[in-house]
Amino acid sequence: MDYSRDPRLAVLFDADNVPYSNVRGMLAEIAKYGTPTFKRIYADWTKPTVSGWKTVLLENGITPVQQYSYTTGKNATDSAMIIDAMDILYTGRVDGFCIVSSDSDFTRLATRLREAGMKVYGIGEKKTPVPFIAACDKFIYLEILKPVEPVLKQVLTTKVKSKTRTKSKDIVQAPPVNAIEIANKGLAKVISDSINDLADENGWAFLGDLGNLILKKQPDFDPRNYGFKKLVPLIKSFDQFEIDERESGKKNTTLVFVRTK
């Protein structure tokens, strides 16, 4: 992969297994990881169940791919996506894939793409089966993606929103009611164990390495799942960890280290 440019991504949507309500939010999230070179969406467009997608395809530049359901009980859409993904893989024109689906049928595809050296990002609902999540390098839950309004609507409502916008720079939203319960069930332990895996002789672990290791252990890990924008404020919410911010010698660059108290 040429790291001097933005990674090129093939984005493949499974219209049967993800909602169309926040397409802009999905694409905004994908833009963080690379440039969508391919944007295709698969469905039997003769079915009324996917009619809602049709209104958002043109304005988001997504190419619809028609796949008829030849027999009852067989998902021809999945097969079409898998065939296209392999065709795109062998063109050598992308650096990674984003599979937008909540269907475990794409587990083997994600595994195969990673075996070929591709980065694989998954986007789907929290009901997505664990095997598909684990097969991706990173998996993002649709429920944490903020809605992105059309540009014109944003311009018209900017003044109104500016009067009521929350000033906090660290909080995405109020943490879930069960955030403490979730943390006690394993998040704190994952962070602590990962720090121990990386720590130097004084117990400090570099934050960048810590985030990468946690993501390898839990591909669906994301601070936004717990109501925080970034990893640092999430870690600060625990009493058992301490953070040390060190000057790097470069302007406006600080190195952050974490250890268990």
Side-chain angles (χ1 to χ4, degrees):
M1 184 187 298
D2 180 5
Y3 290 96
S4 64
R5 57 168 173 76
D6 208 23
R8 299 167 299 185
L9 300 177
V11 184
L12 308 180
F13 293 84
D14 176 11
D16 293 326
N17 284 289
V18 288
Y20 60 85
S21 56
N22 191 16
V23 176
R24 290 180 182 273
M26 298 179 208
L27 293 175
E29 180 69 20
I30 293 167
K32 297 177 183 180
Y33 309 105
T35 301
T37 303
F38 296 86
K39 289 189 290 184
R40 298 178 182 175
I41 184 166
Y42 300 79
D44 182 351
W45 299 104
T46 63
K47 290 184 175 180
T49 54
V50 294
S51 59
W53 277 100
K54 298 176 184 179
T55 60
V56 298
L57 299 186
L58 285 177
E59 60 189 48
N60 291 285
I62 304 173
T63 303
V65 177
Q66 169 64 30
Q67 182 59 50
Y68 291 103
S69 299
Y70 298 111
T71 58
T72 303
K74 299 293 184 180
N75 197 333
T77 298
D78 291 1
S79 299
M81 276 185 65
I82 292 169
I83 291 170
D84 267 14
M86 298 309 295
D87 285 344
I88 294 170
L89 171 65
Y90 289 119
T91 66
R93 291 186 291 168
V94 298
D95 306 301
F97 287 78
C98 182
I99 302 172
V100 185
S101 179
S102 303
D103 192 342
S104 63
D105 288 350
F106 297 109
T107 301
R108 182 66 185 106
L109 173 62
T111 301
R112 177 65 184 86
L113 293 173
R114 290 181 68 185
E115 289 173 349
M118 294 285 108
K119 276 281 186 181
V120 178
Y121 304 97
I123 296 181
E125 296 176 293
K126 288 186 177 180
K127 66 180 183 181
T128 303
V130 172
F132 179 39
I133 294 173
C136 299
D137 288 288
K138 180 175 179 61
F139 193 90
I140 304 103
Y141 291 125
L142 285 171
E143 289 85 349
I144 67 172
L145 299 184
K146 297 176 65 176
V148 178
E149 299 174 356
V151 175
L152 179 59
K153 187 176 181 181
Q154 283 183 323
V155 172
L156 294 175
T157 58
T158 296
K159 292 184 179 179
V160 176
K161 287 189 175 182
S162 64
K163 295 180 182 179
T164 58
R165 186 177 295 125
T166 303
K167 294 182 179 180
S168 173
K169 65 180 181 179
D170 292 333
I171 304 297
V172 174
Q173 58 186 9
V177 175
N178 62 343
I180 296 176
E181 180 183 352
I182 293 172
N184 289 339
K185 285 185 176 179
L187 178 59
K189 186 177 188 306
V190 171
I191 295 174
S192 179
D193 289 347
S194 298
I195 290 174
N196 291 335
D197 291 338
L198 298 168
D200 59 19
E201 61 273 12
N202 295 315
W204 292 104
F206 178 52
L207 182 71
D209 293 338
L210 177 62
N212 289 334
L213 181 56
I214 294 174
L215 196 57
K216 289 178 181 177
K217 293 180 178 181
Q218 294 187 189
D220 62 342
F221 172 76
D222 194 306
R224 292 171 297 179
N225 291 337
Y226 306 94
F228 296 90
K229 283 186 177 181
K230 301 291 183 180
L231 183 57
V232 169
L234 171 59
I235 292 178
K236 284 182 177 179
S237 70
F238 292 96
D239 293 331
Q240 66 207 76
F241 304 117
E242 59 180 315
I243 290 179
D244 183 22
E245 299 182 1
R246 308 173 188 175
E247 295 297 327
S248 66
K250 297 181 181 180
K251 188 177 180 180
N252 299 324
T253 302
T254 302
L255 300 178
V256 180
F257 290 81
V258 185
R259 74 176 176 185
T260 303
K261 291 181 181 179

